[in-house]
Amino acid sequence: MTSQDLYDFAPLARVLLTGAIIALGPIVWIWWRHRGATPLKRLQVLAVLTLFLSFDLVMFGAFTRLTDSGLGCPDWPGCYGNASPIGAHAEISAAQAAMPTGPVTHGKAWVEMIHRYLATAVGGLIIVLTASAWLQRKRGGSQPISPWWPTATLVWVLIQGAFGALTVTMKLFPAIVTLHLLGGTVLLMLLTVQATRHTQFADNLGLVPVPRLLRGLVAVTALLVFAQVTLGGWVSTNYAVLACTSFPMCNGAWWPAMNFDGFQIWRPLGFLADGSHISYEALVAIHYMHRLFAYLVIAALLWLGWMLRTVPLLRQQRRWLIGLTLLQFATGLSNVVLDWPMLAAVLHTGGAAAIMVVLTWIWCTAGPEPARSAAS
């Protein structure tokens, strides 16, 4: 092809078919493994498995971004108008020959398309989850959560797909890529609510009584972590990870030279809103604000972990929270002092997503303490 539109929907059916085939594997496994179980039990397993695979998708999305594979196929939803890099071999080879380390290579094209296939498969699982929930309601069976939850999740994953398309067609526009990252985090939170409610119902578990102030601390901590995820996404999408090359100081100073123009939201990658190139000082500001806010967030997470010791029934969640917080600190530190190793960078994104999952799990598990009678 001599020219290629940014949006080419010709290969869409084949991409959707590939995703459907991938999604069919988990669905068949659930049906076979739990063929004697009730529909509600299979719905619980589907919710948990969809959450797990969505988390894997977020991790693979981080790998796609960190390997600079986001433009491995510069059109959407296919690759140079084809459903896979196989059909685009000539175009990819030409682009790779022109720029061997550029954004389009055979390896990067496969990473990008596999990410799209996996995203389509997750969307397929959420469609099945939604249809199953409404079917269960039509049968009049009891349900631990309204079918509007998976419906909202389906709408959200479609929005995520749109942002995924814009990520490519707008050439890694930082605001769009950051919103795509945040959208993946919200998707995990929506699925965590459903997986938790289904598991509580299946195992006949009630809510764990938690003091009001402690539940408030969970909510505040979740908001702080979400804000930190936003700052971290801004660091990653602006490639500012190595703007500070020392720790705990940044470039040998406790308050390095910074330019806060880097926080202009609507601008292309590498540029400011006025069209000028983004300065090194602006990248330093992006990095260092994320680092400074991390101290507050880590303190809040550890304080919450300490306070949860008073609720023995949340011991499992507490251990996950503290362990993930320590892992997040270690991977964030290694990104700076070890020159951004791939494993640590992917784990840092996954750790942030996992912390949000655990905080949502805690929130869904915690309930109000019973009111005390006047006699007591």
Side-chain angles (χ1 to χ4, degrees), residues 41-369:
K41 175 62 179 179
R42 289 197 292 269
L43 196 57
Q44 178 220 351
V45 177
L46 178 60
V48 174
L49 186 58
T50 303
L51 170 61
F52 174 77
L53 294 177
S54 297
F55 183 82
D56 292 342
L57 176 63
V58 169
M59 294 280 283
F60 196 82
F63 178 76
T64 302
R65 183 176 67 257
L66 293 165
T67 55
D68 293 326
S69 302
L71 296 179
C73 289
D75 55 320
W76 188 92
C79 191
Y80 287 98
N82 296 275
S84 81
I86 296 175
H89 185 273
E91 292 88 345
I92 297 172
S93 295
Q96 184 171 332
M99 296 181 63
T101 59
V104 180
T105 66
H106 287 285
K108 292 177 180 178
W110 274 110
V111 170
E112 170 65 5
M113 287 307 299
I114 289 173
H115 178 59
R116 296 183 195 180
Y117 298 148
L118 294 177
T120 306
V122 166
L125 291 174
I126 293 174
I127 290 174
V128 174
L129 186 64
T130 303
S132 300
W134 283 106
L135 182 61
Q136 179 69 11
R137 180 170 181 170
K138 184 177 180 180
R139 290 171 175 170
S142 57
Q143 286 183 290
I145 194 169
S146 168
W148 285 109
W149 274 94
T151 303
T153 307
L154 177 58
V155 172
W156 189 260
V157 83
L158 293 175
I159 295 173
Q160 266 294 90
F163 274 103
L166 291 173
T167 294
V168 175
T169 59
M170 294 183 70
K171 307 301 180 186
L172 305 182
F173 205 83
I176 296 298
V177 180
T178 302
L179 287 172
H180 192 49
L181 170 64
L182 294 177
T185 304
V186 173
L187 175 63
L188 292 178
M189 295 170 67
L190 289 169
L191 290 169
T192 300
V193 172
Q194 296 165 71
T196 302
R197 291 287 184 244
H198 278 290
T199 301
Q200 288 170 335
F201 187 85
D203 297 340
N204 197 26
L205 299 173
L207 296 177
V208 177
V210 174
R212 178 182 298 179
L213 288 178
L214 185 51
R215 285 189 292 133
L217 180 59
V218 173
V220 170
T221 304
L223 290 174
L224 289 174
V225 173
F226 194 83
Q228 178 67 350
V229 171
T230 305
L231 288 173
W234 198 241
V235 171
S236 180
T237 57
N238 283 280
Y239 296 87
V241 175
L242 299 179
C244 291
T245 56
S246 60
F247 183 88
M249 294 189 292
C250 175
N251 302 331
W254 289 108
W255 190 258
M258 292 183 283
N259 185 334
F260 290 91
D261 287 345
F263 287 96
Q264 293 178 6
I265 303 302
W266 200 253
R267 55 177 177 77
L269 176 63
F271 295 88
L272 297 178
D274 62 4
S276 61
H277 286 277
I278 191 169
S279 66
Y280 176 69
E281 289 75 15
L283 297 179
V284 171
I286 293 172
H287 178 113
Y288 205 52
M289 290 303 102
H290 175 61
R291 185 187 296 189
L292 292 178
F293 198 73
Y295 299 140
L296 172 63
V297 173
I298 289 174
L301 286 167
L302 293 177
W303 176 248
L304 176 60
W306 173 256
M307 294 298 294
L308 286 173
R309 78 191 190 285
T310 61
V311 188
L313 292 176
L314 293 179
R315 183 181 298 109
Q316 183 181 13
Q317 291 89 331
R318 175 176 177 263
R319 289 174 177 172
W320 272 106
L321 188 66
I322 294 175
L324 286 169
T325 300
L326 297 177
L327 174 66
Q328 196 67 357
F329 176 78
T331 55
L333 179 60
S334 64
N335 280 335
V336 176
V337 301
L338 298 179
D339 197 25
W340 205 14
M342 179 60 65
L343 179 60
V346 173
L347 286 177
H348 196 59
T349 298
I355 288 174
M356 288 303 304
V357 166
V358 172
L359 289 170
T360 306
W361 180 21
I362 294 172
W363 178 258
C364 292
T365 306
E369 287 185 311

